[in-house]
Amino acid sequence: MNPQVSVLAEHILAENSDDGWWYWWSWAERIARVDDLDDAVERVLRVLATTGEHD
């Protein structure tokens, strides 16, 4: 959740699939591998950012 804009919130899942553990968006799209936390954090920040907040 973006604390400045509470409507910018999302549920994120971690699930094991045939090719390892992944973080997933609630709309069933992969975010990043669980062992690639930096990439996962970057993508989540980008989605939850307000316009121009995270460039």
Side-chain angles (χ1 to χ4, degrees):
M1 181 177 80
N2 182 328
Q4 296 175 341
V5 185
S6 62
V7 296
L8 293 175
E10 188 56 55
H11 292 278
I12 297 172
L13 311 167
E15 189 171 296
N16 193 14
S17 60
D18 293 338
D19 57 347
W21 282 88
W22 286 80
Y23 291 114
W24 293 78
W25 296 109
S26 62
W27 59 84
E29 182 179 322
R30 287 181 173 180
I31 300 171
R33 291 185 171 274
V34 169
D35 60 357
D36 191 357
L37 190 57
D38 290 338
D39 190 30
V41 167
E42 180 65 29
R43 291 174 189 220
V44 171
L45 286 174
R46 194 174 317 127
V47 166
L48 298 181
T50 59
T51 303
E53 181 181 51
H54 188 73
D55 294 324

